[in-house]
Every structure is written in structure tokens, then in C-alpha cells.
Amino acid sequence: MRRQNETKLKWLLEAVLPGRLVDTPTLERHGVTRMLAHKYMDGEWLEPVVRGLYRRPSVGSNSAEWQLVAHSLQHVMDYSSVVGGRTALELQGFAHYLPMRDDRDVHLYGEAHPSWLKRLDGADRYRLHGTKLFDMNANDETVKVDSPVGPLKSSTSERAILELLDELPKHESVHIVDTVFEGLASARPRRLEKLLASCTSIKVKRLFFVFADRHGHAWRRHLSPETFDLGSGPRALFENGHFHPRYRVSVPPELIPDRKAANGA
């Protein structure tokens, strides 16, 4: 028994670095019972954060910064959480297109999210999404991005822009999406083609081509809207919007091609 407990403690010290988080299900998978976790707290190898969640003590601040939370989810607890949408774009150099706020939302995508996320300090900033926007073929459209606490698994910029479009019109602004599209000159058409084919949202695919046509990056000519299932019939999204003549989705007037041409005349 003593040797078993030594093995469990060895795992904890090696797998959960100082400052990292670990939850009860993860501890239990490695044989650390609640009783043993309390012993680890007595020995100052763990400290409680919220119910069902612990932290390895570290020198300095113990605030649960979102990068630390995401890194722990991915590398300690092995959740399927991926940083996506607006947050992924910020990580990958698009921050200058996005207004910076100290309390900005953190977008996490995954098949399941632990309930303790909603009990953390600042829990309201975590926007938790499922995986229904894409079919299984898009699961590998991720990239590792450096952060202050280590690499984070993040949606590629091509996947993140589709996730951002999915937030329109209720949770994101047309202006933000428009300015991010302006910076997508280096997007990879083959990756976009794969993602659009895997995307399950008619709304997102139609809006993608509205913005793609508007900005006319070089990759646009490699993508044919007719290749993808854009559904049938008009889709009303925006209050007082105008229907786009090609993609039959309501958008603000400034996104209608004729209006843009008139403004540029």
C-alpha cells in the first residue's frame, strides 16, 4: 500500500506542475481518492480551488488566469477543450483587429466541459461551445499556439473565423467580423475548402462567402460556392437587414455589393 501511495504521489508531482489545476475525476483515474487528496492538502502538495478542483501550490499569484485553466484542461486533465473563435484569433496575431478588454470572453470548444468551470472566479467570461458546427472531418483543424503558461491547442485561423461567424448576430458584431476578414489574406484555400465542406451551418457558410466576396483575397478564387451545400430559400438573420442578391441571407445594408460600390464611387 505504501508503495502504491508513493507511485500516486510521484504521478501527481510529475504530471501536475506547480500552479496547474487538476480535478477530482482526473485524480480518481490515477487512483487518488478524495481521502488521499485531503492528505495531499495536509502535506501542501495540493490546495483547493473550488469544489472538485485543486491546484498544485506555486510561488506567486494563484489567480486562475484563463490560459492556465485551458492549459490544465488540455495537458493535465485531458479534456477535449480547444481554444476557438475570437479567442483563437487573438492568440494567433489578430488581436490588433479586435478591441482588447481585460474581461473579454474565453471561447472553448469541446464534446464536454467540466462543471467546475462555472464555479471559478470570473466564470462568466467562459463561453463553452459544443462540436456540432463541424462534422468529424474537421477535428484535426487545430494548431499549437504559445502562451505564457505553455502551448495551447487552438483552432486554426481558418476554423476560428467560421466559429466567429457562428456568433453572428447575437453574440458578435458585423464590424468585428469584417475587420478580421480584412486580415485573412494569408488564409489557406485547401484548409478553408475542407472546413466549409465539414461545416454543418448553412448560415455560417453563406455569411462566409458574403465576407469573402467583400474582401476579395487571393484565396477566394480557389473556392466555388457551388461546391458546398448552402441550403435553399432565403435566411433572415439581421433585423432590418437586406437580402444579399447572391447568397440570399439578410445582412446589414453596408454588406450588400451594390451599396459598397456606390459608396466607393
Side-chain angles (χ1 to χ4, degrees):
M1 178 65 71
R2 180 177 178 180
R3 179 170 295 180
Q4 289 179 347
N5 287 340
E6 289 176 350
T7 299
K8 294 170 186 177
L9 179 59
K10 184 175 184 290
W11 166 81
L12 177 74
L13 298 179
E14 291 179 351
V16 188
L17 299 178
R20 299 305 189 268
L21 304 168
V22 62
D23 63 4
T24 297
T26 303
L27 290 172
E28 291 179 344
R29 282 199 303 273
H30 292 273
V32 179
T33 63
R34 291 178 185 270
M35 183 179 296
L36 190 53
H38 281 285
K39 290 183 178 180
Y40 290 166
M41 286 192 289
D42 292 339
E44 298 184 349
W45 290 307
L46 285 177
E47 60 185 19
V49 179
V50 295
R51 181 167 54 86
L53 182 68
Y54 305 88
R55 185 198 330 268
R56 275 284 310 280
S58 63
V59 177
S61 173
N62 283 331
S63 61
E65 297 292 342
W66 76 262
Q67 295 97 333
L68 183 59
V69 173
H71 190 272
S72 298
L73 283 167
Q74 295 175 357
H75 297 279
V76 178
M77 294 174 272
D78 200 29
Y79 283 95
S80 63
S81 301
V82 174
V83 178
R86 179 172 176 152
T87 311
L89 292 165
E90 290 171 343
L91 281 177
Q92 294 176 53
F94 290 85
H96 55 289
Y97 293 101
L98 302 165
M100 301 297 288
R101 307 186 309 271
D102 291 338
D103 61 343
R104 60 190 181 278
D105 290 341
V106 177
H107 293 266
L108 297 176
Y109 291 76
E111 296 178 1
H113 302 283
S115 59
W116 51 257
L117 273 171
K118 288 301 184 181
R119 297 195 295 270
L120 294 176
D121 289 341
D124 290 345
R125 72 185 306 193
Y126 290 96
R127 294 286 308 281
L128 307 179
H129 306 267
T131 58
K132 294 182 179 179
L133 183 58
F134 302 98
D135 64 27
M136 296 296 290
N137 293 327
N139 282 350
D140 61 343
E141 290 300 323
T142 59
V143 64
K144 289 185 178 179
V145 181
D146 289 336
S147 81
V149 299
L152 294 178
K153 187 177 182 181
S154 167
S155 295
T156 61
S157 58
E158 292 86 356
R159 176 170 172 164
I161 192 63
L162 297 181
E163 291 166 341
L164 186 68
L165 283 168
D166 193 39
E167 294 292 283
L168 286 175
K170 292 183 178 180
H171 303 296
E172 197 52 86
S173 74
V174 167
H175 173 71
I176 291 297
V177 175
D178 197 41
T179 53
V180 173
F181 256 90
E182 184 180 350
L184 279 178
S186 61
R188 286 149 288 194
R190 287 187 179 180
R191 180 166 283 172
L192 286 169
E193 183 177 34
K194 177 182 178 181
L195 285 162
L196 288 166
S198 300
C199 184
T200 61
S201 170
I202 299 299
K203 176 195 83 170
V204 167
K205 288 182 283 190
R206 290 192 190 185
L207 287 174
F208 172 83
F209 281 106
V210 169
F211 286 99
D213 287 2
R214 174 175 169 83
H215 290 281
H217 292 307
W219 49 259
R220 170 62 182 87
R221 65 176 179 267
H222 298 285
L223 299 172
S224 173
E226 290 72 27
T227 304
F228 310 103
D229 178 14
L230 299 185
S232 61
R235 302 291 172 102
L237 294 178
F238 293 86
E239 187 176 355
N240 299 321
H242 293 197
F243 279 95
H244 193 281
R246 183 173 184 183
Y247 301 113
R248 295 172 297 163
V249 60
S250 68
V251 293
E254 61 268 24
L255 297 185
I256 299 297
D258 290 343
R259 177 66 60 89
K260 184 183 176 185
N263 289 343

